[in-house]
Amino acid sequence: MTQSEAPRAPRAPSWTLWLPLALFVLFVGGVAISLMLPKSTDINSQMIGKPLPTFSLRPAADGRPGLSNGDFATGKPRLLNIFASWCVPCGVEAPVLAELQRQGAQIDGIAIRDHKDDLNAFLAKNGNPYQRIGADDVSAVQLAIGSSGVPETFVIDGKGVIRYQHIGDIRAEEIPMMLAKLKEAES
């Protein structure tokens, strides 16, 4: 037997040459479909309908008291905004919160992993729509209420029960929706 007559390895079927291309086309098609479908921003939080956990936070900024879960059992719905001075979208959201306050919304805040001086500078620059601001130095309350980022805003009814969770900054066009959520929380 000469070298040219050595046994050949069995050849793969010809369709296997097209398999990588077919997988790539399926991947691109899946990505394209997911990009074309409308994105839902509704959150089905596990905390909706549940009372706020027990907490008591020291004041985070000058001129505002701290915050506890008992502050929400006032009989009137309130917004609870999770924010931080180091959060860029929080600065973008600030004028919208001021407008919500101007339209009658009562807003409390929890400052996440923030420093008092930084927070005071943030509020001086962006306005302070908050009645109370608690300092959550280790994100314990944030995680307990089902928040994972900043900014996030919760609608809390007058008994201290979470009625709605909004993830991300509230945009100007969402003001009527947030006011409607507050109105719904009255019942």
Side-chain angles (χ1 to χ4, degrees):
M1 179 184 313
T2 64
Q3 273 189 324
S4 63
E5 295 176 350
R8 294 179 142 180
R11 297 184 81 184
S14 63
W15 63 269
T16 58
L17 295 173
W18 296 99
L19 186 59
L21 178 61
L23 291 172
F24 178 73
V25 169
L26 284 173
F27 173 75
V28 170
V31 170
I33 289 171
S34 68
L35 291 175
M36 289 188 283
L37 292 176
K39 189 170 126 185
S40 174
T41 56
D42 293 338
I43 301 299
N44 297 319
S45 171
Q46 299 297 316
M47 294 300 292
I48 303 297
K50 295 185 177 176
L52 284 169
T54 301
F55 66 90
S56 180
L57 300 173
R58 67 173 169 78
D62 292 335
R64 293 291 190 267
L67 186 66
S68 73
N69 61 303
D71 295 322
F72 293 89
T74 62
K76 183 168 181 166
R78 308 170 71 88
L79 296 180
L80 174 60
N81 181 246
I82 310 297
F83 75 108
S85 66
W86 44 263
C87 161
V88 174
C90 296
V92 173
E93 183 185 54
V96 177
L97 292 178
E99 180 59 25
L100 280 165
Q101 181 195 33
R102 194 186 68 71
Q103 293 192 34
Q106 294 183 19
I107 305 170
D108 296 304
I110 294 179
I112 302 299
R113 299 178 184 259
D114 223 324
H115 299 282
K116 193 171 193 174
D117 292 341
D118 295 339
L119 191 57
N120 286 333
F122 176 86
L123 296 172
K125 177 182 176 188
N126 296 297
N128 188 349
Y130 305 102
Q131 293 186 344
R132 297 174 172 271
I133 305 173
D136 191 359
D137 297 328
V138 294
S139 297
V141 176
Q142 178 189 26
L143 295 175
I145 62 174
S147 169
S148 60
V150 288
E152 285 190 30
T153 303
F154 293 83
V155 174
I156 312 296
D157 72 13
K159 296 176 185 170
V161 175
I162 299 171
R163 294 297 177 193
Y164 177 73
Q165 179 179 3
H166 182 87
I167 292 181
D169 56 310
I170 302 170
R171 305 286 170 93
E173 62 270 18
E174 295 171 319
I175 289 175
M177 180 271 298
M178 292 302 290
L179 292 172
K181 294 289 184 187
L182 279 168
K183 188 76 175 167
E184 288 174 17
E186 288 179 357
S187 54

